[in-house]
Structure formats: C-alpha cells, structure tokens
Amino acid sequence: MYKRLLLIGLIALTPIVAFAKTETIYASYKYVMGDNDTKNDAKRICFMEAKRLLIEKAGVFIQSETTVKDFALTKDEVTAYSGAILKVEVANEEVKFNGETQTIVMTVKADIDTDEVHKTLSSIQEDKTLQKKIMTQQAQLREMENTLTKLQNKLKSVSPEKAVELRKERNIVFNEMSEQEKIVFNIKATTQKAIDDVEIRMTRDEV
C-alpha cells in the first residue's frame, strides 16, 4: 500500500512534458510553358503558384491546431501570418515534354513546428504594429501575384512585339515581389527577437 501511494505521489510530481508536433506540408503546381515564356520565368511563376497553394493548406492546418485556437484569428490573418513566418522550399522539380510543349511540375514544402508557430503567433498578437506590417505586405504580395497572373493570360495570345512589352512589365513585378519578400524576412527577424525576449524574461510581468 505504501509503495502504491509513493508511486502515485511520484507520478503527480512528475512534470507533464508537451511534445511539439511537426508537420511537413506539400503543394504542387503544373505550368505549361507558352511561346512567350522563358524557362526561368516559368519556374518563378510555377514556384509562386505552388507556394500560394501551400500557404493556403498551411493556414488550414495551423487554424485547426488547438495550440492556436486561443488567438481567435480570422482565416485571412492566419493565411497572412503563415505566408510571413513559413520557409517554403522546393522539394522537387521536373521538366516534361509533350511534343514541342514543355511543362514544369514543381512541388514545394514547409515544415510546421506547432510549438514554434504558437510562440510566433503569440508574439505577433502582442504587437499591433507588427500585425499591420504583415497584413499590409502580404496583401501587396497577393496583389502582385494577381498582376502576374493577368500578364500571363495576356502573353498567351499576343504578337511577338507586344510580348516584349509584357515581359518587361512582368520582370518589373518580379523585382517588386523580390523586394517585398525581403521585407517579409525582416518581419520574421523582428518576430524571432520578440520570441527570444519572451523566453529570456520568462514571465508576462517581466515582458
């Protein structure tokens, strides 16, 4: 009896360890190259579309996790924050031929650590300025993506002369997106610093 009580006491005193869940999200996109496409531009567009699909899937996964439900985030907020904090990488890339037509199939991935996501979202929720920056810049990126999609549709059926002008416009948008993505990286760094501060100071009052 004494041993049983001792065992129960030890179990009660043992700290509960929460294991973080890591999920790898994948998304694929197939892009059929047109006469006015270069392979490099086609790959960039394929990555952009695959990344967009992945961010949407990641947003659904993150929103479904109990670790983030307390934040009461909207779908748009979760998607925007996911786009800002997740590192998206190319997992696989294939170039296929169907006669003279080339098709690029690209698969991208992102690793989601629910513990890190919880910490990051907590920091974002406590910083209204950071929230506004993320929402604004992600909205700008979506607008640029939509502009690229419209340019791509136009390039499918224009003369070679007009295609030259549209490709110039497309390159401008690509460059603008690259600059915006750099700003998103700076937001990530700011968020991580906030997380580090929370971990160092430990208590909410100290923060």
Side-chain angles (χ1 to χ4, degrees):
M1 183 69 179
Y2 173 76
K3 290 182 178 179
R4 183 179 298 176
L5 291 173
L6 179 61
L7 179 60
I8 294 172
L10 288 173
I11 293 173
L13 292 173
T14 302
I16 297 174
V17 180
F19 293 97
K21 177 182 178 182
T22 300
E23 184 84 7
T24 301
I25 305 293
Y26 293 89
S28 298
Y29 188 82
K30 180 174 71 173
Y31 182 80
V32 180
M33 291 181 60
D35 295 334
N36 295 317
D37 285 321
T38 66
K39 186 176 289 187
N40 185 53
D41 286 347
K43 287 182 178 181
R44 294 180 73 174
I45 294 166
C46 201
F47 178 81
M48 178 192 76
E49 296 293 350
K51 180 180 178 181
R52 192 201 311 235
L53 293 173
L54 184 142
I55 294 301
E56 290 176 358
K57 290 177 66 175
V60 172
F61 171 76
I62 290 172
Q63 197 166 33
S64 69
E65 286 299 300
T66 56
T67 54
V68 301
K69 286 183 179 179
D70 292 340
F71 298 121
L73 299 172
T74 66
K75 181 181 177 181
D76 287 344
E77 287 172 332
V78 173
T79 301
Y81 298 160
S82 299
I85 67 179
L86 293 181
K87 181 181 180 181
V88 180
E89 301 176 322
V90 176
N92 188 54
E93 179 185 312
E94 293 181 80
V95 178
K96 300 181 179 180
F97 292 86
N98 184 9
E100 296 183 356
T101 304
Q102 293 187 62
T103 300
I104 297 176
V105 181
M106 186 177 292
T107 300
V108 297
K109 69 173 186 175
D111 296 323
I112 302 177
D113 184 318
T114 55
D115 186 49
E116 288 301 317
V117 167
H118 184 273
K119 291 178 183 178
T120 302
L121 291 179
S122 178
S123 297
I124 293 173
Q125 284 292 89
E126 294 178 3
D127 190 335
K128 297 297 183 183
T129 300
L130 185 57
Q131 289 176 36
K132 185 176 180 180
K133 284 183 179 180
I134 292 176
M135 295 298 292
T136 298
Q137 289 162 13
Q138 289 298 306
Q140 290 174 343
L141 283 170
R142 286 195 298 272
E143 185 176 344
M144 292 175 191
E145 290 172 357
N146 292 335
T147 299
L148 282 173
T149 300
K150 292 177 183 178
L151 288 171
Q152 284 305 115
N153 291 333
K154 290 181 181 179
L155 277 166
K156 292 177 181 178
S157 58
V158 296
S159 64
E161 293 78 14
K162 182 64 175 177
V164 172
E165 296 178 16
L166 292 176
R167 282 199 297 267
K168 287 180 180 178
E169 290 183 42
R170 185 173 63 181
N171 286 333
I172 291 172
V173 179
F174 275 139
N175 291 334
E176 289 176 347
M177 284 186 68
S178 295
E179 291 302 312
Q180 284 298 323
E181 285 166 352
K182 290 177 184 177
I183 295 173
V184 170
F185 177 81
N186 289 337
I187 288 175
K188 289 182 184 179
T190 302
T191 304
Q192 187 59 52
K193 182 179 184 302
I195 293 172
D196 291 342
D197 287 345
V198 170
E199 290 177 342
I200 290 169
R201 296 189 174 99
M202 298 299 289
T203 66
R204 181 175 296 273
D205 290 338
E206 289 173 330
V207 172

mmCIF file of all heavy atoms in Angstrom, residues 118-160:
data_model
loop_
_atom_site.group_PDB
_atom_site.id
_atom_site.type_symbol
_atom_site.label_atom_id
_atom_site.label_comp_id
_atom_site.label_asym_id
_atom_site.label_seq_id
_atom_site.Cartn_x
_atom_site.Cartn_y
_atom_site.Cartn_z
ATOM 1 N N HIS A 118 3.111 28.529 -32.333
ATOM 2 C CA HIS A 118 2.388 29.095 -31.182
ATOM 3 C C HIS A 118 3.147 30.286 -30.608
ATOM 4 O O HIS A 118 2.571 31.336 -30.309
ATOM 5 C CB HIS A 118 2.191 28.025 -30.118
ATOM 6 C CG HIS A 118 1.378 28.487 -28.960
ATOM 7 N ND1 HIS A 118 1.926 29.125 -27.864
ATOM 8 C CD2 HIS A 118 0.044 28.425 -28.715
ATOM 9 C CE1 HIS A 118 0.974 29.438 -27.005
ATOM 10 N NE2 HIS A 118 -0.169 29.016 -27.492
ATOM 11 N N LYS A 119 4.462 30.144 -30.432
ATOM 12 C CA LYS A 119 5.274 31.234 -29.896
ATOM 13 C C LYS A 119 5.248 32.448 -30.822
ATOM 14 O O LYS A 119 5.130 33.594 -30.386
ATOM 15 C CB LYS A 119 6.719 30.768 -29.709
ATOM 16 C CG LYS A 119 6.926 29.746 -28.605
ATOM 17 C CD LYS A 119 8.390 29.328 -28.545
ATOM 18 C CE LYS A 119 8.630 28.253 -27.503
ATOM 19 N NZ LYS A 119 10.060 27.819 -27.488
ATOM 20 N N THR A 120 5.370 32.164 -32.129
ATOM 21 C CA THR A 120 5.407 33.257 -33.106
ATOM 22 C C THR A 120 4.082 34.004 -33.141
ATOM 23 O O THR A 120 4.045 35.241 -33.117
ATOM 24 C CB THR A 120 5.733 32.710 -34.498
ATOM 25 O OG1 THR A 120 6.980 32.017 -34.455
ATOM 26 C CG2 THR A 120 5.844 33.843 -35.516
ATOM 27 N N LEU A 121 2.977 33.271 -33.194
ATOM 28 C CA LEU A 121 1.668 33.915 -33.226
ATOM 29 C C LEU A 121 1.407 34.689 -31.945
ATOM 30 O O LEU A 121 0.783 35.760 -31.964
ATOM 31 C CB LEU A 121 0.576 32.868 -33.441
ATOM 32 C CG LEU A 121 0.545 32.198 -34.813
ATOM 33 C CD1 LEU A 121 -0.565 31.164 -34.864
ATOM 34 C CD2 LEU A 121 0.365 33.228 -35.920
ATOM 35 N N SER A 122 1.880 34.170 -30.818
ATOM 36 C CA SER A 122 1.724 34.877 -29.545
ATOM 37 C C SER A 122 2.429 36.224 -29.591
ATOM 38 O O SER A 122 1.891 37.250 -29.147
ATOM 39 C CB SER A 122 2.293 34.023 -28.405
ATOM 40 O OG SER A 122 2.202 34.715 -27.175
ATOM 41 N N SER A 123 3.639 36.230 -30.162
ATOM 42 C CA SER A 123 4.395 37.475 -30.275
ATOM 43 C C SER A 123 3.721 38.453 -31.222
ATOM 44 O O SER A 123 3.648 39.655 -30.949
ATOM 45 C CB SER A 123 5.818 37.185 -30.762
ATOM 46 O OG SER A 123 6.511 36.388 -29.829
ATOM 47 N N ILE A 124 3.214 37.937 -32.335
ATOM 48 C CA ILE A 124 2.524 38.798 -33.298
ATOM 49 C C ILE A 124 1.275 39.397 -32.674
ATOM 50 O O ILE A 124 0.987 40.595 -32.854
ATOM 51 C CB ILE A 124 2.164 38.002 -34.569
ATOM 52 C CG1 ILE A 124 3.441 37.607 -35.322
ATOM 53 C CG2 ILE A 124 1.262 38.828 -35.487
ATOM 54 C CD1 ILE A 124 3.195 36.687 -36.498
ATOM 55 N N GLN A 125 0.528 38.586 -31.929
ATOM 56 C CA GLN A 125 -0.705 39.056 -31.306
ATOM 57 C C GLN A 125 -0.459 40.185 -30.304
ATOM 58 O O GLN A 125 -1.335 41.003 -30.059
ATOM 59 C CB GLN A 125 -1.407 37.900 -30.595
ATOM 60 C CG GLN A 125 -2.128 36.955 -31.534
ATOM 61 C CD GLN A 125 -3.323 37.605 -32.199
ATOM 62 O OE1 GLN A 125 -3.192 38.207 -33.267
ATOM 63 N NE2 GLN A 125 -4.485 37.490 -31.599
ATOM 64 N N GLU A 126 0.731 40.222 -29.743
ATOM 65 C CA GLU A 126 1.040 41.253 -28.743
ATOM 66 C C GLU A 126 1.678 42.493 -29.364
ATOM 67 O O GLU A 126 2.028 43.428 -28.647
ATOM 68 C CB GLU A 126 1.969 40.659 -27.680
ATOM 69 C CG GLU A 126 1.313 39.572 -26.850
ATOM 70 C CD GLU A 126 2.254 38.965 -25.829
ATOM 71 O OE1 GLU A 126 3.408 39.441 -25.744
ATOM 72 O OE2 GLU A 126 1.851 38.038 -25.108
ATOM 73 N N ASP A 127 1.838 42.498 -30.679
ATOM 74 C CA ASP A 127 2.484 43.625 -31.345
ATOM 75 C C ASP A 127 1.597 44.107 -32.493
ATOM 76 O O ASP A 127 1.628 43.570 -33.598
ATOM 77 C CB ASP A 127 3.859 43.193 -31.876
ATOM 78 C CG ASP A 127 4.701 44.366 -32.370
ATOM 79 O OD1 ASP A 127 4.108 45.396 -32.758
ATOM 80 O OD2 ASP A 127 5.938 44.249 -32.383
ATOM 81 N N LYS A 128 0.779 45.135 -32.228
ATOM 82 C CA LYS A 128 -0.166 45.639 -33.232
ATOM 83 C C LYS A 128 0.550 46.196 -34.460
ATOM 84 O O LYS A 128 0.071 46.064 -35.588
ATOM 85 C CB LYS A 128 -1.049 46.739 -32.613
ATOM 86 C CG LYS A 128 -1.924 46.262 -31.464
ATOM 87 C CD LYS A 128 -2.931 45.220 -31.929
ATOM 88 C CE LYS A 128 -3.854 44.816 -30.781
ATOM 89 N NZ LYS A 128 -4.802 43.738 -31.198
ATOM 90 N N THR A 129 1.707 46.815 -34.244
ATOM 91 C CA THR A 129 2.466 47.363 -35.372
ATOM 92 C C THR A 129 2.944 46.251 -36.289
ATOM 93 O O THR A 129 2.863 46.352 -37.519
ATOM 94 C CB THR A 129 3.683 48.166 -34.864
ATOM 95 O OG1 THR A 129 3.217 49.231 -34.037
ATOM 96 C CG2 THR A 129 4.464 48.745 -36.027
ATOM 97 N N LEU A 130 3.431 45.176 -35.695
ATOM 98 C CA LEU A 130 3.895 44.024 -36.468
ATOM 99 C C LEU A 130 2.735 43.389 -37.222
ATOM 100 O O LEU A 130 2.881 43.004 -38.392
ATOM 101 C CB LEU A 130 4.548 43.012 -35.539
ATOM 102 C CG LEU A 130 5.210 41.792 -36.189
ATOM 103 C CD1 LEU A 130 6.261 42.215 -37.200
ATOM 104 C CD2 LEU A 130 5.825 40.893 -35.123
ATOM 105 N N GLN A 131 1.578 43.294 -36.590
ATOM 106 C CA GLN A 131 0.396 42.751 -37.255
ATOM 107 C C GLN A 131 0.072 43.543 -38.516
ATOM 108 O O GLN A 131 -0.179 42.974 -39.582
ATOM 109 C CB GLN A 131 -0.803 42.798 -36.311
ATOM 110 C CG GLN A 131 -0.747 41.825 -35.156
ATOM 111 C CD GLN A 131 -1.933 42.003 -34.228
ATOM 112 O OE1 GLN A 131 -3.049 42.287 -34.668
ATOM 113 N NE2 GLN A 131 -1.707 41.846 -32.939
ATOM 114 N N LYS A 132 0.081 44.857 -38.376
ATOM 115 C CA LYS A 132 -0.265 45.731 -39.504
ATOM 116 C C LYS A 132 0.750 45.579 -40.638
ATOM 117 O O LYS A 132 0.376 45.535 -41.815
ATOM 118 C CB LYS A 132 -0.309 47.189 -39.036
ATOM 119 C CG LYS A 132 -0.778 48.156 -40.109
ATOM 120 C CD LYS A 132 -0.898 49.570 -39.568
ATOM 121 C CE LYS A 132 -1.368 50.530 -40.662
ATOM 122 N NZ LYS A 132 -1.486 51.914 -40.140
ATOM 123 N N LYS A 133 2.028 45.488 -40.288
ATOM 124 C CA LYS A 133 3.065 45.321 -41.317
ATOM 125 C C LYS A 133 2.873 44.026 -42.097
ATOM 126 O O LYS A 133 2.939 44.005 -43.321
ATOM 127 C CB LYS A 133 4.452 45.328 -40.668
ATOM 128 C CG LYS A 133 4.953 46.700 -40.242
ATOM 129 C CD LYS A 133 6.362 46.592 -39.676
ATOM 130 C CE LYS A 133 6.899 47.957 -39.276
ATOM 131 N NZ LYS A 133 8.268 47.856 -38.719
ATOM 132 N N ILE A 134 2.630 42.958 -41.358
ATOM 133 C CA ILE A 134 2.461 41.661 -42.016
ATOM 134 C C ILE A 134 1.238 41.673 -42.935
ATOM 135 O O ILE A 134 1.311 41.255 -44.090
ATOM 136 C CB ILE A 134 2.336 40.536 -40.975
ATOM 137 C CG1 ILE A 134 3.659 40.354 -40.237
ATOM 138 C CG2 ILE A 134 1.934 39.227 -41.645
ATOM 139 C CD1 ILE A 134 3.610 39.331 -39.112
ATOM 140 N N MET A 135 0.101 42.155 -42.430
ATOM 141 C CA MET A 135 -1.117 42.167 -43.224
ATOM 142 C C MET A 135 -0.962 43.034 -44.473
ATOM 143 O O MET A 135 -1.393 42.654 -45.562
ATOM 144 C CB MET A 135 -2.296 42.657 -42.378
ATOM 145 C CG MET A 135 -2.664 41.739 -41.218
ATOM 146 S SD MET A 135 -3.179 40.083 -41.739
ATOM 147 C CE MET A 135 -4.737 40.449 -42.552
ATOM 148 N N THR A 136 -0.321 44.188 -44.315
ATOM 149 C CA THR A 136 -0.134 45.097 -45.444
ATOM 150 C C THR A 136 0.775 44.490 -46.501
ATOM 151 O O THR A 136 0.460 44.498 -47.704
ATOM 152 C CB THR A 136 0.468 46.438 -44.966
ATOM 153 O OG1 THR A 136 -0.439 47.057 -44.052
ATOM 154 C CG2 THR A 136 0.698 47.373 -46.140
ATOM 155 N N GLN A 137 1.895 43.946 -46.079
ATOM 156 C CA GLN A 137 2.863 43.420 -47.043
ATOM 157 C C GLN A 137 2.376 42.134 -47.707
ATOM 158 O O GLN A 137 2.642 41.906 -48.886
ATOM 159 C CB GLN A 137 4.213 43.249 -46.358
ATOM 160 C CG GLN A 137 4.854 44.594 -46.067
ATOM 161 C CD GLN A 137 5.950 44.522 -45.023
ATOM 162 O OE1 GLN A 137 6.422 43.455 -44.670
ATOM 163 N NE2 GLN A 137 6.355 45.676 -44.521
ATOM 164 N N GLN A 138 1.654 41.290 -46.967
ATOM 165 C CA GLN A 138 1.101 40.092 -47.587
ATOM 166 C C GLN A 138 0.013 40.459 -48.595
ATOM 167 O O GLN A 138 -0.120 39.813 -49.636
ATOM 168 C CB GLN A 138 0.540 39.160 -46.512
ATOM 169 C CG GLN A 138 1.602 38.493 -45.661
ATOM 170 C CD GLN A 138 2.529 37.607 -46.459
ATOM 171 O OE1 GLN A 138 2.079 36.724 -47.184
ATOM 172 N NE2 GLN A 138 3.827 37.831 -46.343
ATOM 173 N N ALA A 139 -0.747 41.505 -48.306
ATOM 174 C CA ALA A 139 -1.762 41.981 -49.253
ATOM 175 C C ALA A 139 -1.091 42.504 -50.524
ATOM 176 O O ALA A 139 -1.582 42.268 -51.643
ATOM 177 C CB ALA A 139 -2.614 43.072 -48.611
ATOM 178 N N GLN A 140 0.024 43.205 -50.362
ATOM 179 C CA GLN A 140 0.765 43.701 -51.522
ATOM 180 C C GLN A 140 1.308 42.558 -52.372
ATOM 181 O O GLN A 140 1.277 42.601 -53.598
ATOM 182 C CB GLN A 140 1.901 44.615 -51.058
ATOM 183 C CG GLN A 140 1.411 45.943 -50.491
ATOM 184 C CD GLN A 140 2.526 46.776 -49.893
ATOM 185 O OE1 GLN A 140 3.611 46.265 -49.606
ATOM 186 N NE2 GLN A 140 2.263 48.060 -49.683
ATOM 187 N N LEU A 141 1.809 41.514 -51.703
ATOM 188 C CA LEU A 141 2.305 40.345 -52.439
ATOM 189 C C LEU A 141 1.180 39.664 -53.214
ATOM 190 O O LEU A 141 1.373 39.258 -54.365
ATOM 191 C CB LEU A 141 2.959 39.349 -51.475
ATOM 192 C CG LEU A 141 4.372 39.705 -50.994
ATOM 193 C CD1 LEU A 141 4.798 38.770 -49.872
ATOM 194 C CD2 LEU A 141 5.374 39.628 -52.149
ATOM 195 N N ARG A 142 0.021 39.544 -52.602
ATOM 196 C CA ARG A 142 -1.115 38.925 -53.299
ATOM 197 C C ARG A 142 -1.532 39.761 -54.507
ATOM 198 O O ARG A 142 -1.876 39.215 -55.556
ATOM 199 C CB ARG A 142 -2.299 38.751 -52.340
ATOM 200 C CG ARG A 142 -2.116 37.628 -51.333
ATOM 201 C CD ARG A 142 -3.435 37.266 -50.674
ATOM 202 N NE ARG A 142 -3.988 38.388 -49.936
ATOM 203 C CZ ARG A 142 -3.704 38.653 -48.669
ATOM 204 N NH1 ARG A 142 -2.850 37.892 -48.005
ATOM 205 N NH2 ARG A 142 -4.262 39.676 -48.051
ATOM 206 N N GLU A 143 -1.490 41.067 -54.360
ATOM 207 C CA GLU A 143 -1.838 41.942 -55.468
ATOM 208 C C GLU A 143 -0.852 41.776 -56.627
ATOM 209 O O GLU A 143 -1.239 41.740 -57.799
ATOM 210 C CB GLU A 143 -1.848 43.403 -54.992
ATOM 211 C CG GLU A 143 -2.332 44.382 -56.051
ATOM 212 C CD GLU A 143 -2.416 45.814 -55.528
ATOM 213 O OE1 GLU A 143 -2.401 45.992 -54.292
ATOM 214 O OE2 GLU A 143 -2.491 46.733 -56.354
ATOM 215 N N MET A 144 0.434 41.648 -56.294
ATOM 216 C CA MET A 144 1.444 41.431 -57.331
ATOM 217 C C MET A 144 1.268 40.076 -58.007
ATOM 218 O O MET A 144 1.442 39.940 -59.223
ATOM 219 C CB MET A 144 2.838 41.545 -56.725
ATOM 220 C CG MET A 144 3.203 42.935 -56.284
ATOM 221 S SD MET A 144 4.804 42.985 -55.428
ATOM 222 C CE MET A 144 4.775 44.651 -54.772
ATOM 223 N N GLU A 145 0.934 39.062 -57.213
ATOM 224 C CA GLU A 145 0.682 37.738 -57.785
ATOM 225 C C GLU A 145 -0.487 37.797 -58.763
ATOM 226 O O GLU A 145 -0.437 37.187 -59.846
ATOM 227 C CB GLU A 145 0.384 36.739 -56.665
ATOM 228 C CG GLU A 145 1.589 36.400 -55.809
ATOM 229 C CD GLU A 145 1.219 35.567 -54.599
ATOM 230 O OE1 GLU A 145 0.003 35.308 -54.402
ATOM 231 O OE2 GLU A 145 2.133 35.164 -53.857
ATOM 232 N N ASN A 146 -1.534 38.520 -58.409
ATOM 233 C CA ASN A 146 -2.686 38.656 -59.292
ATOM 234 C C ASN A 146 -2.313 39.408 -60.566
ATOM 235 O O ASN A 146 -2.798 39.077 -61.662
ATOM 236 C CB ASN A 146 -3.828 39.377 -58.575
ATOM 237 C CG ASN A 146 -4.424 38.548 -57.447
ATOM 238 O OD1 ASN A 146 -4.342 37.323 -57.462
ATOM 239 N ND2 ASN A 146 -4.998 39.214 -56.464
ATOM 240 N N THR A 147 -1.450 40.407 -60.441
ATOM 241 C CA THR A 147 -0.982 41.150 -61.615
ATOM 242 C C THR A 147 -0.197 40.233 -62.546
ATOM 243 O O THR A 147 -0.368 40.267 -63.769
ATOM 244 C CB THR A 147 -0.087 42.330 -61.187
ATOM 245 O OG1 THR A 147 -0.848 43.218 -60.369
ATOM 246 C CG2 THR A 147 0.427 43.101 -62.404
ATOM 247 N N LEU A 148 0.659 39.389 -61.969
ATOM 248 C CA LEU A 148 1.427 38.435 -62.772
ATOM 249 C C LEU A 148 0.509 37.455 -63.494
ATOM 250 O O LEU A 148 0.744 37.116 -64.664
ATOM 251 C CB LEU A 148 2.416 37.672 -61.891
ATOM 252 C CG LEU A 148 3.687 38.417 -61.495
ATOM 253 C CD1 LEU A 148 4.483 37.591 -60.495
ATOM 254 C CD2 LEU A 148 4.551 38.703 -62.728
ATOM 255 N N THR A 149 -0.528 37.006 -62.815
ATOM 256 C CA THR A 149 -1.474 36.082 -63.440
ATOM 257 C C THR A 149 -2.159 36.724 -64.637
ATOM 258 O O THR A 149 -2.325 36.098 -65.694
ATOM 259 C CB THR A 149 -2.537 35.634 -62.414
ATOM 260 O OG1 THR A 149 -1.886 34.978 -61.313
ATOM 261 C CG2 THR A 149 -3.530 34.676 -63.049
ATOM 262 N N LYS A 150 -2.548 37.981 -64.506
ATOM 263 C CA LYS A 150 -3.182 38.701 -65.617
ATOM 264 C C LYS A 150 -2.212 38.876 -66.783
ATOM 265 O O LYS A 150 -2.584 38.715 -67.950
ATOM 266 C CB LYS A 150 -3.673 40.066 -65.128
ATOM 267 C CG LYS A 150 -4.835 39.992 -64.152
ATOM 268 C CD LYS A 150 -5.227 41.377 -63.639
ATOM 269 C CE LYS A 150 -6.347 41.287 -62.616
ATOM 270 N NZ LYS A 150 -6.710 42.630 -62.068
ATOM 271 N N LEU A 151 -0.948 39.188 -66.467
ATOM 272 C CA LEU A 151 0.048 39.341 -67.524
ATOM 273 C C LEU A 151 0.284 38.022 -68.245
ATOM 274 O O LEU A 151 0.457 37.988 -69.471
ATOM 275 C CB LEU A 151 1.368 39.858 -66.930
ATOM 276 C CG LEU A 151 1.373 41.322 -66.468
ATOM 277 C CD1 LEU A 151 2.661 41.637 -65.709
ATOM 278 C CD2 LEU A 151 1.238 42.254 -67.678
ATOM 279 N N GLN A 152 0.291 36.922 -67.478
ATOM 280 C CA GLN A 152 0.477 35.606 -68.078
ATOM 281 C C GLN A 152 -0.653 35.275 -69.045
ATOM 282 O O GLN A 152 -0.423 34.724 -70.129
ATOM 283 C CB GLN A 152 0.549 34.531 -66.997
ATOM 284 C CG GLN A 152 1.858 34.490 -66.252
ATOM 285 C CD GLN A 152 3.044 34.334 -67.187
ATOM 286 O OE1 GLN A 152 3.884 35.220 -67.296
ATOM 287 N NE2 GLN A 152 3.111 33.220 -67.885
ATOM 288 N N ASN A 153 -1.855 35.600 -68.668
ATOM 289 C CA ASN A 153 -3.005 35.336 -69.541
ATOM 290 C C ASN A 153 -2.919 36.145 -70.834
ATOM 291 O O ASN A 153 -3.274 35.655 -71.907
ATOM 292 C CB ASN A 153 -4.306 35.649 -68.804
ATOM 293 C CG ASN A 153 -4.589 34.665 -67.680
ATOM 294 O OD1 ASN A 153 -4.154 33.518 -67.727
ATOM 295 N ND2 ASN A 153 -5.312 35.106 -66.660
ATOM 296 N N LYS A 154 -2.435 37.370 -70.729
ATOM 297 C CA LYS A 154 -2.279 38.204 -71.922
ATOM 298 C C LYS A 154 -1.177 37.670 -72.838
ATOM 299 O O LYS A 154 -1.302 37.711 -74.057
ATOM 300 C CB LYS A 154 -1.954 39.648 -71.512
ATOM 301 C CG LYS A 154 -3.102 40.395 -70.866
ATOM 302 C CD LYS A 154 -2.683 41.820 -70.514
ATOM 303 C CE LYS A 154 -3.815 42.585 -69.840
ATOM 304 N NZ LYS A 154 -3.414 43.975 -69.476
ATOM 305 N N LEU A 155 -0.108 37.168 -72.235
ATOM 306 C CA LEU A 155 1.030 36.677 -73.019
ATOM 307 C C LEU A 155 0.693 35.457 -73.868
ATOM 308 O O LEU A 155 1.415 35.147 -74.822
ATOM 309 C CB LEU A 155 2.194 36.332 -72.078
ATOM 310 C CG LEU A 155 3.081 37.500 -71.649
ATOM 311 C CD1 LEU A 155 3.955 37.104 -70.470
ATOM 312 C CD2 LEU A 155 3.947 37.972 -72.812
ATOM 313 N N LYS A 156 -0.383 34.772 -73.543
ATOM 314 C CA LYS A 156 -0.729 33.560 -74.281
ATOM 315 C C LYS A 156 -1.197 33.842 -75.704
ATOM 316 O O LYS A 156 -1.117 32.963 -76.564
ATOM 317 C CB LYS A 156 -1.830 32.797 -73.531
ATOM 318 C CG LYS A 156 -1.384 32.209 -72.200
ATOM 319 C CD LYS A 156 -2.539 31.530 -71.487
ATOM 320 C CE LYS A 156 -2.110 30.960 -70.139
ATOM 321 N NZ LYS A 156 -3.247 30.335 -69.403
ATOM 322 N N SER A 157 -1.672 35.054 -75.941
ATOM 323 C CA SER A 157 -2.296 35.311 -77.252
ATOM 324 C C SER A 157 -1.960 36.689 -77.826
ATOM 325 O O SER A 157 -2.832 37.372 -78.349
ATOM 326 C CB SER A 157 -3.812 35.163 -77.135
ATOM 327 O OG SER A 157 -4.325 36.060 -76.158
ATOM 328 N N VAL A 158 -0.700 37.112 -77.685
ATOM 329 C CA VAL A 158 -0.307 38.408 -78.245
ATOM 330 C C VAL A 158 0.792 38.216 -79.279
ATOM 331 O O VAL A 158 1.424 37.149 -79.356
ATOM 332 C CB VAL A 158 0.193 39.372 -77.134
ATOM 333 C CG1 VAL A 158 -0.915 39.693 -76.159
ATOM 334 C CG2 VAL A 158 1.391 38.776 -76.410
ATOM 335 N N SER A 159 1.016 39.242 -80.031
ATOM 336 C CA SER A 159 2.068 39.208 -81.050
ATOM 337 C C SER A 159 3.437 39.251 -80.380
ATOM 338 O O SER A 159 3.552 39.677 -79.219
ATOM 339 C CB SER A 159 1.923 40.410 -81.985
ATOM 340 O OG SER A 159 2.134 41.620 -81.254
ATOM 341 N N PRO A 160 4.481 38.810 -81.073
ATOM 342 C CA PRO A 160 5.834 38.856 -80.504
ATOM 343 C C PRO A 160 6.243 40.255 -80.051
ATOM 344 O O PRO A 160 6.936 40.412 -79.042
ATOM 345 C CB PRO A 160 6.713 38.369 -81.663
ATOM 346 C CG PRO A 160 5.816 37.491 -82.473
ATOM 347 C CD PRO A 160 4.466 38.149 -82.395
#
